[in-house]
Amino acid sequence: MSPRAGLTTERLVRAGAELSDEVGFEQVTVSALARQFDVKVASLYSHVKSSQDLRTRIALLSLEEMADRLATALAGRAGKDALAAFANVYRDYAREHPGRYTAARLTLDPETAAASAGPRHAQMTRAILRGYDLTEPDQTHAVRLLGSVFHGYISLETAGGFSHSAPDTRETWVWIVDRLDALLRTWPPSAPSDPAPAPEPTPRPTE
Amino acid sequence: MSPRAGLTTERLVRAGAELSDEVGFEQVTVSALARQFDVKVASLYSHVKSSQDLRTRIALLSLEEMADRLATALAGRAGKDALAAFANVYRDYAREHPGRYTAARLTLDPETAAASAGPRHAQMTRAILRGYDLTEPDQTHAVRLLGSVFHGYISLETAGGFSHSAPDTRETWVWIVDRLDALLRTWPPSAPSDPAPAPEPTPRPTE
DNA sequence: GCATTTGCCTAAACACTTTAGGTAGCTGCA
DNA sequence: TGCAGCTACCTAAAGTGTTTAGGCAAATGC
């Protein structure tokens, strides 16, 4: 009766990524995808192993896309310039592609993660730090700090954590990048001035 | 036949919270909870409105618990001491209660969020900043920075983002708190030294 | 033009969610 | 103590998503 729909893993993953941006990553389902292609659900299982497999592939695609943008943005930049460019790629991608961004945060099993674009991200973060005078282990600490700040910020912002209160979030973003730059420049050669006390566990503000 | 199980919303939410720590927040389901109480699924619907309602209540519980720990930890502390205590409450809670922590990150609708312990978190973050010399809007920026760093760090750490590479994550955590303290102390009275360029979107490192 | 491959199908089992309406166990009051 | 009424838990059923097994027909290649 009907000719063939022309499904491929590639097309499914791409459609899944778009769907996730439209309706949220959580709502990306094999069924929804089948509806979009006007095809029976079971048909998709020749192209993706499982629902989980589909989601993982979307995550990998998103990581690649971000890494590509990163590479472009970093080309020819250094120091604070590079830091800001880096930060903005991250934030803009999350705004343009909230579903994909969420997908990229998915926890991958070690082998998959190692084969993903994840390491490229880390590598580029290190590249930025070349503009600052850091030696190990400070450099690694700094890589982690940058990852934490950017991800944390975006996560809180998209979750509506920073309400609609003044000052606006763009201002804060610029401020943070500025402060991070300062933090990375002024370097007290690594010597935890004061062994931080370990009193009790720790919390998380909504603002 | 069987007497009554003694279900209450309270008990369900509490059991749900425990379950989420054991099997992950995503796996917390009305069905799973019904099994635990050895009761038919439909029976739970007199106590929680929906699966979403259950999850929201777990989130609210977790926010309360964290806020309580925070309050205890901050009592009698100031400055860096308070900052470290605050950070540790946050991190330790996430380690002890990964499911609850994830739950607490759930996006709540504005009214629910306003009635939650979320504002207490923000308020306590501001309390910490009293130990530093910040005026608005810097103080708000700083509140957001702290929230971002702590949440981002924990999120990446629990997702296995910081692999098992050296240096270990505890070292980084101490380092970050130390650097944040320095950043908050050394205050160039707010004047974005350099208008950050807005080149391209922004990414996210796995490390 | 035919054989093979394979893309999409039907069928079916299983899990979770949610609503409607019934029954039996508690609670309170005489 | 006994019964009225409440309500906690039940059965039943419909809807959605996942996943596997096996079938048929459309594309592919000779």
Side-chain angles (χ1 to χ4, degrees):
Chain A
M1 229 159 236
S2 50
R4 298 191 174 185
L7 305 182
T8 65
T9 303
E10 176 78 12
R11 288 187 62 192
L12 289 178
V13 173
R14 216 159 275 288
E18 270 155 43
L19 186 61
S20 81
D21 286 334
E22 286 160 21
V23 305
F25 184 60
E26 300 307 321
Q27 320 306 320
V28 173
T29 177
V30 180
S31 299
L33 222 44
R35 274 192 293 275
Q36 279 212 349
F37 281 92
D38 200 33
V39 138
K40 296 299 173 182
V41 188
S43 306
L44 300 203
Y45 281 82
S46 334
H47 303 283
V48 296
K49 271 198 282 296
S50 67
S51 193
Q52 185 52 45
D53 180 42
L54 171 65
R55 280 188 260 267
T56 300
R57 286 174 189 276
I58 295 174
L60 294 176
L61 171 68
S62 308
L63 285 172
E64 296 279 357
E65 287 183 351
M66 280 195 264
D68 291 345
R69 286 195 182 193
L70 262 187
T72 303
L74 287 188
R77 290 186 216 268
K80 184 178 180 182
D81 205 26
L83 182 66
F86 184 89
N88 288 334
V89 168
Y90 204 20
R91 189 188 189 214
D92 291 348
Y93 188 86
R95 287 170 161 258
E96 285 173 45
H97 301 296
R100 281 161 152 100
Y101 181 81
T102 302
R105 305 293 336 155
L106 208 144
T107 302
L108 307 171
D109 57 290
E111 312 101 80
T112 310
S116 76
R120 273 173 79 203
H121 287 245
Q123 207 176 321
M124 288 192 266
T125 309
R126 283 206 139 78
I128 285 175
L129 296 178
R130 270 203 289 275
Y132 300 88
D133 249 7
L134 304 185
T135 54
E136 289 297 356
D138 289 342
Q139 197 177 65
T140 299
H141 293 321
V143 168
R144 294 173 178 175
L145 172 62
L146 292 182
S148 298
V149 175
F150 297 150
H151 167 52
Y153 186 90
I154 289 164
S155 170
L156 290 178
E157 188 184 28
T158 65
F162 305 144
S163 309
H164 313 63
S165 49
D168 82 31
T169 62
R170 194 189 171 289
E171 249 184 86
T172 297
W173 184 251
V174 171
W175 183 92
I176 286 180
V177 170
D178 186 67
R179 297 290 82 210
L180 284 176
D181 171 65
L183 180 136
L184 295 172
R185 267 189 290 101
T186 67
W187 218 244
S190 177
S193 53
D194 206 20
E200 195 91 0
T202 337
R204 160 245 151 191
T206 279
E207 166 141 347
Chain B
M1 258 240 153
S2 49
R4 299 192 174 184
L7 303 183
T8 65
T9 302
E10 176 78 12
R11 289 188 61 192
L12 289 177
V13 173
R14 216 159 276 287
E18 269 155 45
L19 186 61
S20 81
D21 286 334
E22 286 160 22
V23 304
F25 184 61
E26 301 307 321
Q27 319 307 320
V28 173
T29 177
V30 179
S31 299
L33 222 45
R35 273 191 295 274
Q36 279 213 348
F37 282 92
D38 198 34
V39 138
K40 297 299 173 183
V41 189
S43 307
L44 301 203
Y45 281 82
S46 334
H47 303 283
V48 296
K49 271 198 283 296
S50 66
S51 194
Q52 185 53 45
D53 180 42
L54 171 65
R55 280 188 260 267
T56 300
R57 287 174 188 276
I58 294 173
L60 294 176
L61 171 69
S62 308
L63 285 172
E64 296 280 358
E65 287 182 350
M66 280 195 265
D68 291 345
R69 286 194 182 193
L70 263 187
T72 303
L74 288 188
R77 289 187 217 266
K80 185 178 180 182
D81 204 27
L83 181 66
F86 184 90
N88 288 334
V89 169
Y90 203 21
R91 188 188 190 215
D92 292 349
Y93 189 86
R95 286 169 162 258
E96 285 175 44
H97 300 297
R100 282 159 151 99
Y101 181 81
T102 302
R105 305 292 337 154
L106 210 144
T107 303
L108 307 171
D109 56 290
E111 312 100 79
T112 310
S116 77
R120 271 173 80 203
H121 287 245
Q123 205 176 321
M124 288 192 265
T125 309
R126 282 207 139 78
I128 285 175
L129 295 178
R130 269 203 289 275
Y132 300 89
D133 248 6
L134 304 185
T135 54
E136 289 297 358
D138 288 342
Q139 196 177 65
T140 299
H141 293 322
V143 168
R144 293 174 179 174
L145 172 63
L146 293 182
S148 298
V149 175
F150 297 150
H151 167 53
Y153 186 89
I154 288 164
S155 169
L156 290 178
E157 189 184 27
T158 66
F162 304 144
S163 310
H164 313 63
S165 49
D168 83 31
T169 61
R170 194 190 171 287
E171 251 185 83
T172 297
W173 183 252
V174 172
W175 183 92
I176 286 180
V177 170
D178 187 68
R179 297 291 82 210
L180 284 176
D181 171 65
L183 179 132
L184 294 173
R185 267 189 290 101
T186 68
W187 218 245
S190 175
S193 54
D194 207 20
E200 194 91 1
T202 337
R204 160 247 151 191
T206 280
E207 168 142 348

